[in-house]
Amino acid sequence: MQTESTGIAVFGEALVDDFLTEQVVGGAPFNVARHLAAFGIASLMITRIGSDDNGAMVAAEFERFGMRTDGLQIDPQAPTGRVIVERSAGNHRFEILPRQAYDLIDVDAALAAMARCTPGVICFGTLAQREATSRGALRALLAATPAMRFLDLNLREGQVTERCVFESLHEADVVKVNEQELSELFRWYTDTQPPTTDMAASEVQLACSRLMQVFGVRGLIVTLGPRGVVYFGPDGIRHGASAQADTGALVDTVGAGDAFSAIFLLGSTLAWPLATTLQRANDFAAAICALAGAVPADIAFYEQWHTRWLAD
């Protein structure tokens, strides 16, 4: 089933998380694009992979989710993006390798692919902007479309400069951050740094409003894990969603934010009420936390959500 849509373009990294004993396809933007495809949204994933075994794994995911491939670029020399993940008790250590294929997204090929899509939304993050080539390609795409800009900040230690964050915020219409990222934005761009433990506190709301005014952002989403989510709109209007529904035992939180972003974009595309969109996005993110990995291994996982939300 293909849901009617003006289309969503997703820009950024598609990569392989290498756990040494197994390899899993990932990348925050690619996770978002795969979720959208599973819900029948016409999404265009603009990324670049290498001509190697890891690239073949990524390409297989395009096929598994029935995604269009005109935004998928193949680099003849650079390797497919790879992140080395070391598991330890209660924690993971990530080594994000430099100079990967997603750092080299070609601007002309990207513009040509987007011209065939005419998206209503363009979704992007910051990791794929660490190199000038892909950063320039993104800037050209943003300049070429009036589409709503959704920024999923996804700060990665040592990978993203404050300058990149500053420029990305100026490009965005709606921004999604977690608590830690919000605190970092407060530190960089406001005169105060209130604790985020109480998002209803007046000083937090004032700081969020200040951020939105400085960067011309129309919506600021702050995900709070098991505490839910809050959304700051124009003129300080605040909405929220309750704590995540009990959808199963917690397995890991990998990909929860990407799942939230995908359903927020789905709801925006299908014109769901904001409160409905936030709650559904929150519930879906909780369900992903009950799975191993950021994206279900079995596409049948999505059937229950189709039945609940898209039956009409």
Side-chain angles (χ1 to χ4, degrees), residues 132-157:
T133 301
S134 288
R135 186 167 63 249
L138 173 61
R139 293 292 183 270
L141 289 170
L142 293 172
T145 177
M148 187 270 279
R149 289 100 178 274
F150 181 87
L151 169 63
D152 193 348
L153 200 58
N154 271 333
L155 294 183
R156 305 295 188 196
E157 185 176 355

Side-chain angles (χ1 to χ4, degrees), residues 65-298:
F65 281 86
M67 298 171 63
R68 56 191 295 170
T69 58
D70 45 342
L72 178 60
Q73 303 177 14
I74 311 295
D75 194 291
Q77 295 180 321
T80 299
R82 187 163 69 102
V83 176
I84 299 173
V85 186
E86 294 184 7
R87 290 189 176 105
S88 60
N91 199 7
H92 289 162
R93 189 182 74 84
F94 300 93
E95 181 184 354
I96 303 175
L97 300 182
R99 196 65 175 178
Q100 307 288 279
Y102 65 76
D103 293 312
L104 303 170
I105 297 173
D106 179 76
V107 60
D108 293 331
L111 285 169
M114 197 177 70
R116 294 188 289 270
C117 176
T118 316
V121 178
I122 183 166
C123 172
F124 64 101
T126 48
L127 178 58
Q129 297 187 63
R130 62 182 183 170
E131 294 277 350
T133 301
S134 288
R135 186 167 63 249
L138 173 61
R139 293 292 183 270
L141 289 170
L142 293 172
T145 177
M148 187 270 279
R149 289 100 178 274
F150 181 87
L151 169 63
D152 193 348
L153 200 58
N154 271 333
L155 294 183
R156 305 295 188 196
E157 185 176 355
Q159 302 295 321
V160 179
T161 65
E162 182 275 329
R163 183 65 188 179
C164 176
V165 172
F166 181 84
E167 293 175 352
S168 296
L169 288 168
H170 272 296
E171 294 283 3
D173 296 310
V174 177
V175 178
K176 182 183 82 67
V177 297
N178 60 32
E179 284 184 85
Q180 293 75 28
E181 290 162 345
L182 181 64
S183 293
E184 195 74 353
L185 296 185
F186 286 163
R187 184 175 70 86
W188 283 340
Y189 304 123
T190 71
D191 296 329
T192 61
Q193 195 172 359
T196 58
T197 50
D198 180 8
M199 293 299 296
S202 59
E203 59 266 34
V204 174
Q205 297 196 50
L206 285 171
C208 288
S209 295
R210 175 61 177 160
L211 279 176
M212 295 175 68
Q213 292 168 4
V214 167
F215 293 104
V217 171
R218 299 202 304 260
L220 175 64
I221 303 166
V222 186
T223 57
L224 306 169
R227 290 160 48 217
V229 62
V230 294
Y231 177 99
F232 294 93
D235 303 320
I237 299 172
R238 179 178 173 274
H239 304 268
S242 63
Q244 293 171 345
D246 183 9
T247 54
L250 174 67
V251 175
D252 67 48
T253 59
V254 173
D258 309 331
F260 182 97
S261 294
I263 303 307
F264 181 84
L265 293 172
L266 174 69
S268 299
T269 298
L270 299 181
W272 294 344
L274 178 60
T276 300
T277 298
L278 293 173
Q279 192 62 61
R280 288 176 174 178
N282 213 49
D283 291 346
F284 187 74
I288 291 297
C289 290
L291 303 178
V295 172
D298 185 355

Side-chain angles (χ1 to χ4, degrees), residues 33 52 57 60 146 227:
D52 50 28
M57 289 179 61
R227 290 160 48 217

